[in-house]
PDB file of all heavy atoms in Angstrom:
ATOM      1  N   ARG A  45       0.415  48.546 -21.691  1.00  0.00           N
ATOM      2  CA  ARG A  45       0.053  49.735 -20.973  1.00  0.00           C
ATOM      3  C   ARG A  45       1.090  50.882 -21.220  1.00  0.00           C
ATOM      4  O   ARG A  45       0.709  52.043 -21.427  1.00  0.00           O
ATOM      5  CB  ARG A  45       0.012  49.476 -19.482  1.00  0.00           C
ATOM      6  CG  ARG A  45      -0.424  50.688 -18.647  1.00  0.00           C
ATOM      7  CD  ARG A  45      -0.683  50.323 -17.201  1.00  0.00           C
ATOM      8  NE  ARG A  45      -1.881  49.525 -17.196  1.00  0.00           N
ATOM      9  CZ  ARG A  45      -2.249  48.841 -16.078  1.00  0.00           C
ATOM     10  NH1 ARG A  45      -1.571  48.882 -14.991  1.00  0.00           N
ATOM     11  NH2 ARG A  45      -3.361  48.165 -16.109  1.00  0.00           N
ATOM     12  N   TYR A  46       2.387  50.536 -21.229  1.00  0.00           N
ATOM     13  CA  TYR A  46       3.380  51.600 -21.280  1.00  0.00           C
ATOM     14  C   TYR A  46       3.891  51.827 -22.662  1.00  0.00           C
ATOM     15  O   TYR A  46       4.399  52.922 -22.990  1.00  0.00           O
ATOM     16  CB  TYR A  46       4.553  51.299 -20.338  1.00  0.00           C
ATOM     17  CG  TYR A  46       4.082  51.340 -18.875  1.00  0.00           C
ATOM     18  CD1 TYR A  46       3.958  50.210 -18.071  1.00  0.00           C
ATOM     19  CD2 TYR A  46       3.736  52.600 -18.319  1.00  0.00           C
ATOM     20  CE1 TYR A  46       3.525  50.300 -16.787  1.00  0.00           C
ATOM     21  CE2 TYR A  46       3.347  52.656 -16.980  1.00  0.00           C
ATOM     22  CZ  TYR A  46       3.219  51.519 -16.258  1.00  0.00           C
ATOM     23  OH  TYR A  46       2.793  51.615 -14.969  1.00  0.00           O
ATOM     24  N   VAL A  47       3.865  50.887 -23.565  1.00  0.00           N
ATOM     25  CA  VAL A  47       4.277  51.052 -24.913  1.00  0.00           C
ATOM     26  C   VAL A  47       3.191  51.547 -25.841  1.00  0.00           C
ATOM     27  O   VAL A  47       3.364  52.520 -26.603  1.00  0.00           O
ATOM     28  CB  VAL A  47       4.922  49.743 -25.494  1.00  0.00           C
ATOM     29  CG1 VAL A  47       5.291  49.907 -26.991  1.00  0.00           C
ATOM     30  CG2 VAL A  47       6.121  49.363 -24.713  1.00  0.00           C
ATOM     31  N   PHE A  48       2.035  50.924 -25.689  1.00  0.00           N
ATOM     32  CA  PHE A  48       0.903  51.278 -26.568  1.00  0.00           C
ATOM     33  C   PHE A  48      -0.152  52.092 -25.869  1.00  0.00           C
ATOM     34  O   PHE A  48      -1.166  52.462 -26.483  1.00  0.00           O
ATOM     35  CB  PHE A  48       0.237  50.019 -27.150  1.00  0.00           C
ATOM     36  CG  PHE A  48       1.219  49.127 -27.927  1.00  0.00           C
ATOM     37  CD1 PHE A  48       1.622  47.906 -27.469  1.00  0.00           C
ATOM     38  CD2 PHE A  48       1.699  49.619 -29.117  1.00  0.00           C
ATOM     39  CE1 PHE A  48       2.465  47.142 -28.205  1.00  0.00           C
ATOM     40  CE2 PHE A  48       2.586  48.832 -29.842  1.00  0.00           C
ATOM     41  CZ  PHE A  48       3.011  47.603 -29.391  1.00  0.00           C
ATOM     42  N   ASN A  49       0.011  52.349 -24.628  1.00  0.00           N
ATOM     43  CA  ASN A  49      -0.930  53.140 -23.815  1.00  0.00           C
ATOM     44  C   ASN A  49      -2.334  52.548 -23.835  1.00  0.00           C
ATOM     45  O   ASN A  49      -3.311  53.240 -24.016  1.00  0.00           O
ATOM     46  CB  ASN A  49      -1.001  54.611 -24.314  1.00  0.00           C
ATOM     47  CG  ASN A  49      -1.503  55.541 -23.209  1.00  0.00           C
ATOM     48  OD1 ASN A  49      -1.434  55.202 -22.035  1.00  0.00           O
ATOM     49  ND2 ASN A  49      -2.050  56.696 -23.606  1.00  0.00           N
ATOM     50  N   TYR A  50      -2.365  51.185 -23.797  1.00  0.00           N
ATOM     51  CA  TYR A  50      -3.629  50.472 -23.866  1.00  0.00           C
ATOM     52  C   TYR A  50      -3.549  49.332 -22.820  1.00  0.00           C
ATOM     53  O   TYR A  50      -2.624  48.534 -22.802  1.00  0.00           O
ATOM     54  CB  TYR A  50      -3.806  49.938 -25.288  1.00  0.00           C
ATOM     55  CG  TYR A  50      -5.096  49.115 -25.386  1.00  0.00           C
ATOM     56  CD1 TYR A  50      -6.324  49.763 -25.453  1.00  0.00           C
ATOM     57  CD2 TYR A  50      -5.015  47.714 -25.531  1.00  0.00           C
ATOM     58  CE1 TYR A  50      -7.494  48.999 -25.644  1.00  0.00           C
ATOM     59  CE2 TYR A  50      -6.145  46.986 -25.639  1.00  0.00           C
ATOM     60  CZ  TYR A  50      -7.384  47.628 -25.750  1.00  0.00           C
ATOM     61  OH  TYR A  50      -8.530  46.895 -25.838  1.00  0.00           O
ATOM     62  N   SER A  51      -4.576  49.274 -21.963  1.00  0.00           N
ATOM     63  CA  SER A  51      -4.609  48.200 -20.975  1.00  0.00           C
ATOM     64  C   SER A  51      -5.302  46.965 -21.533  1.00  0.00           C
ATOM     65  O   SER A  51      -6.308  47.009 -22.148  1.00  0.00           O
ATOM     66  CB  SER A  51      -5.399  48.664 -19.753  1.00  0.00           C
ATOM     67  OG  SER A  51      -5.429  47.672 -18.818  1.00  0.00           O
ATOM     68  N   ILE A  52      -4.607  45.815 -21.377  1.00  0.00           N
ATOM     69  CA  ILE A  52      -5.127  44.563 -21.908  1.00  0.00           C
ATOM     70  C   ILE A  52      -5.729  43.777 -20.778  1.00  0.00           C
ATOM     71  O   ILE A  52      -5.017  43.127 -19.943  1.00  0.00           O
ATOM     72  CB  ILE A  52      -3.994  43.778 -22.598  1.00  0.00           C
ATOM     73  CG1 ILE A  52      -3.373  44.615 -23.699  1.00  0.00           C
ATOM     74  CG2 ILE A  52      -4.549  42.437 -23.199  1.00  0.00           C
ATOM     75  CD1 ILE A  52      -2.106  44.054 -24.223  1.00  0.00           C
ATOM     76  N   ALA A  53      -7.051  43.835 -20.653  1.00  0.00           N
ATOM     77  CA  ALA A  53      -7.762  43.204 -19.489  1.00  0.00           C
ATOM     78  C   ALA A  53      -7.577  41.700 -19.521  1.00  0.00           C
ATOM     79  O   ALA A  53      -7.458  41.066 -18.446  1.00  0.00           O
ATOM     80  CB  ALA A  53      -9.213  43.554 -19.536  1.00  0.00           C
ATOM     81  N   GLN A  54      -7.546  41.041 -20.691  1.00  0.00           N
ATOM     82  CA  GLN A  54      -7.399  39.582 -20.719  1.00  0.00           C
ATOM     83  C   GLN A  54      -6.059  39.156 -20.104  1.00  0.00           C
ATOM     84  O   GLN A  54      -6.000  38.130 -19.474  1.00  0.00           O
ATOM     85  CB  GLN A  54      -7.522  39.084 -22.161  1.00  0.00           C
ATOM     86  CG  GLN A  54      -8.884  39.252 -22.757  1.00  0.00           C
ATOM     87  CD  GLN A  54      -9.119  40.580 -23.372  1.00  0.00           C
ATOM     88  OE1 GLN A  54      -8.315  41.461 -23.290  1.00  0.00           O
ATOM     89  NE2 GLN A  54     -10.232  40.701 -24.088  1.00  0.00           N
TER      90      GLN A  54
END
Side-chain angles (χ1 to χ4, degrees):
R45 184 172 291 168
Y46 293 108
V47 174
F48 301 112
N49 202 23
Y50 179 75
S51 180
I52 304 169
Q54 292 87 352

